[in-house]
Amino acid sequence: MSFSVAIGNTHERYSCRTDQTLLGGMEQLGRKGIPVGCRGGGCGVCKVRIESGAVRRERMSRCHVSVEEEAQGYVLACRAYPQSDLSLRAVEKLARCIERRLAVSMPSPSDSRSPT
């Protein structure tokens, strides 16, 4: 079974299976600039905040996601599996990388000016 995952930072959507981590699904977008660290919940590079929907979480380093943060919806995408359609927002390192990549790929307003 697959669920739809929306990334609030970039307005992208991807399909993610229940046996696939959120990070694994995100990588299938084929975009460069998605940072991948240890894939085991220890480095914190893939930190996201679940804004709506449900995930199954596996063990994560408390150095990167405190009990309080987890209660507020923060998880490491490499240790979270979708259990419903959901919306997430990348934070910290992941957000900086994907937002910077998005800014580079979008044309600037000056590029759309017509010649006079």
Side-chain angles (χ1 to χ4, degrees):
M1 176 177 238
S2 291
F3 292 107
S4 176
V5 178
I7 305 173
N9 310 62
T10 63
H11 307 289
E12 292 174 286
R13 285 190 171 275
Y14 64 92
S15 181
C16 192
R17 299 184 319 270
T18 56
D19 65 343
Q20 181 179 38
T21 66
L22 296 175
L23 180 62
M26 199 178 294
E27 289 177 295
Q28 288 184 334
L29 286 170
R31 278 201 323 108
K32 294 182 186 215
I34 295 174
V36 175
C38 69
R39 296 181 193 266
C43 72
V45 169
C46 62
K47 191 173 184 177
V48 299
R49 182 171 189 263
I50 305 300
E51 296 185 323
S52 67
V55 294
R56 175 176 57 85
R57 298 163 178 87
E58 290 187 346
R59 186 178 173 149
M60 298 175 279
S61 169
R62 290 294 175 207
C63 293
H64 303 294
V65 179
S66 68
V67 172
E68 294 81 17
E69 286 179 317
E70 189 171 352
Q72 295 170 9
Y74 291 93
V75 297
L76 299 180
C78 69
R79 306 302 283 169
Y81 299 81
Q83 301 298 294
S84 70
D85 290 343
L86 59 93
S87 295
L88 62 80
R89 180 162 293 277
V91 297
E92 299 178 4
K93 295 174 189 171
L94 180 59
R96 286 192 298 274
C97 290
I98 67 172
E99 289 169 359
R100 176 178 44 234
R101 193 73 175 156
L102 183 66
V104 167
S105 66
M106 294 181 72
S108 69
S110 63
D111 292 343
S112 61
R113 281 191 233 146
S114 56
T116 54

